[in-house]
């Protein structure tokens, strides 16, 4: 891995190598890198991805150059490319970027330093995908044959797009649950009712309802109706298989995608995903650093 723009760039072997390296790091095999400088450029809000990258960078002993869009020269109209080229020129070795524009990284091919994508619009979220895969792999030790549903705002979800690609490529059976307005038929997945699927799945992956990406009046959205039709309620939780697990990339809209009382229920791996995010990002950053030397 020389950079990470989209999960579709990675072979199954590279995905498995990244997960296995993350597990080794979790077990204490941590390398430290001297004189490597990074910057995290977040043009969209973030808690998990931004703080998790910063934690990963600090644990690898990287030097993190502070960058805030609100106080940068982006506010004077500087382009994304010129901003990144500036950070390269002053000595950054790796950039982590989240940006609202799909495929923003295509503007950055002339850079001589690697970019790790922290999420592009409704395009891809490869590091979230890899931490989700690590969490599933820790549970089951395989992907082949696992039955997985991804529920919610598929159309606007970079998490759904990345996970669908990777999980099917690794042999899992992935189906979607979504209201018609949030279905994405460019992805070759079957849509099912959550009530028809809930008893047979190994993994129930819930997605955040992304109000910020919706055109329709937010007042038309009913939290109660969404929860009743598509959410993980207590009644559905009780119908899950004994060993089934629940994932959600978070932030969670409590009592919408999932009943509040279930966020930390025994089958929930939501906070495990966040924990694994640090190890996954350490695995990714260390590979990018080593492969660009
Ligand atoms: N899951 C995720 O990307 O969360 P943040 O938006 O808080 O980074």
């Amino acid at each position: 891995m020389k950079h990470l723009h989209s999960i579709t760039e990675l072979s199954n072997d590279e995905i498995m190598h990244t997960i296995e390296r993350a597990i080794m790091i979790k077990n204490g095999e941590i390398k430290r890198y001297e004189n490597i400088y990074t910057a995290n450029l977040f043009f969209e809000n973030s808690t998990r991805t931004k703080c998790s990258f910063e934690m990963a960078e600090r644990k690898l002993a990287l030097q993190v150059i502070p960058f805030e869009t609100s106080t940068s020269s982006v506010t004077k109209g500087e382009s994304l490319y010129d901003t990144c080229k500036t950070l390269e020129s002053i000595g950054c070795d790796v950039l982590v970027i989240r940006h609202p524009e799909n495929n923003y990284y295509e503007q950055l091919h002339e850079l001589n330093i690697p970019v790790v994508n922290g999420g592009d619009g409704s395009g891809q979220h490869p590091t979230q995908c890899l931490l989700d895969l690590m969490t599933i792999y820790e549970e089951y030790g395989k992907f082949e044959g696992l039955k997985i549903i991804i529920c919610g705002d598929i159309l606007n979800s970079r998490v759904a797009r990345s996970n669908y690609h990777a999980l099917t490529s690794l042999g899992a059976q992935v189906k979607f649950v979504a209201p018609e307005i949030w279905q994405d038929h460019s992805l070759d997945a079957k849509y099912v009712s959550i009530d028809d699927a809930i008893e047979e799945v190994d993994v129930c992956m819930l997605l955040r309802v992304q109000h910020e990406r919706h055109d329709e009046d937010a007042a038309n959205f009913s939290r109660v109706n969404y929860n009743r039709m598509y959410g993980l309620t207590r009644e559905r939780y009780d119908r899950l298989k004994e060993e089934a697990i629940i994932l959600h990339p978070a932030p969670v809209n409590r009592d919408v995608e999932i009943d509040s009382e279930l966020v930390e229920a025994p089958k929930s791996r939501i906070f495990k995903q966040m924990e694994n995010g640090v190890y996954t990002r350490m695995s990714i950053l260390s590979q990018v650093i080593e492969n660009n030397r």
Side-chain angles (χ1 to χ4, degrees):
M1 189 189 302
K2 286 183 82 83
H3 57 243
L4 182 59
H5 299 163
S6 165
I7 199 73
T8 57
E9 296 163 350
L10 301 185
S11 66
N12 287 352
D13 283 349
E14 287 173 308
I15 289 174
M16 291 312 302
H17 175 72
T18 302
I19 294 169
E20 278 155 11
R21 189 162 178 160
I23 292 171
M24 283 164 60
I25 291 169
K26 188 173 182 174
N27 290 334
E29 283 189 44
I30 300 178
K31 279 196 193 171
R32 293 168 67 83
Y33 299 88
E34 283 186 13
N35 297 319
I36 301 286
Y37 293 84
T38 67
N40 303 317
L41 289 68
F42 278 67
F43 296 88
E44 269 188 355
N45 292 344
S46 169
T47 298
R48 271 145 294 274
T49 312
K50 188 166 189 267
C51 296
S52 168
F53 262 112
E54 190 157 336
M55 183 63 80
E57 289 155 352
R58 287 169 186 254
K59 284 180 180 250
L60 293 169
L62 308 181
Q63 305 292 326
V64 186
I65 301 301
F67 179 92
E68 293 298 335
T69 50
S70 60
T71 53
S72 75
S73 286
V74 169
T75 59
K76 302 174 196 162
E78 189 165 43
S79 71
L80 177 63
Y81 176 79
D82 287 343
T83 301
C84 294
K85 195 70 189 169
T86 301
L87 291 165
E88 176 188 304
S89 304
I90 65 170
C92 283
D93 300 288
V94 182
L95 301 179
V96 176
I97 304 176
R98 170 174 286 190
H99 199 279
E101 195 178 320
N102 285 25
N103 306 326
Y104 71 80
Y105 42 79
E106 288 175 357
Q107 305 161 38
L108 305 177
H109 286 318
E110 298 296 315
L111 292 181
N112 296 309
I113 55 172
V115 168
V116 178
N117 183 6
D120 61 298
S122 58
Q124 289 279 324
H125 197 344
T127 67
Q128 177 71 44
C129 173
L130 288 163
L131 74 88
D132 292 343
L133 296 178
M134 176 184 174
T135 307
I136 296 170
Y137 190 72
E138 276 188 333
E139 209 72 36
Y140 292 103
K142 63 169 190 175
F143 297 100
E144 187 75 40
L146 290 182
K147 291 184 177 166
I148 299 175
I149 48 172
I150 304 181
C151 309
D153 189 359
I154 305 287
L155 186 64
N156 295 293
S157 174
R158 51 197 178 205
V159 178
R161 219 169 303 288
S162 296
N163 272 306
Y164 177 71
H165 178 87
L167 286 165
T168 52
S169 175
L170 290 161
Q173 297 172 30
V174 182
K175 293 177 183 169
F176 289 157
V177 172
E180 208 168 315
I181 50 163
W182 296 339
Q183 294 184 5
D184 180 355
H185 295 288
S186 70
L187 297 172
D188 185 25
K190 190 172 173 192
Y191 283 84
V192 295
S193 134
I194 190 168
D195 285 311
D196 290 344
I198 198 75
E199 285 164 16
E200 65 179 33
V201 297
D202 301 297
V203 179
C204 174
M205 182 183 293
L206 307 165
L207 301 173
R208 183 175 67 86
V209 176
Q210 300 191 53
H211 293 293
E212 74 276 20
R213 299 192 203 278
H214 299 159
D215 291 334
E216 73 261 34
D217 183 358
N220 290 333
F221 178 80
S222 162
R223 297 167 63 93
V224 174
N225 279 351
Y226 182 88
N227 181 261
R228 187 169 51 80
M229 299 278 291
Y230 306 102
L232 189 70
T233 58
R234 164 57 72 178
E235 188 273 329
R236 290 181 181 126
Y237 180 92
D238 289 340
R239 288 164 53 207
L240 283 163
K241 287 198 287 195
E242 186 65 34
E243 66 277 18
I245 59 168
I246 301 160
L247 303 182
H248 189 310
V252 172
N253 293 304
R254 285 174 180 257
D255 294 321
V256 180
E257 301 103 20
I258 178 169
D259 285 5
S260 187
E261 62 172 297
L262 302 176
V263 171
E264 295 183 62
K267 294 183 199 303
S268 169
R269 299 292 179 271
I270 296 172
F271 290 96
K272 174 67 77 69
Q273 288 172 271
M274 296 175 205
E275 180 194 346
N276 284 344
V278 176
Y279 303 118
T280 303
R281 290 172 175 123
M282 290 170 78
S283 169
I284 293 162
L285 287 166
S286 60
Q287 290 178 72
V288 166
I289 290 164
E290 288 171 18
N291 292 333
N292 280 279
R293 277 185 165 157

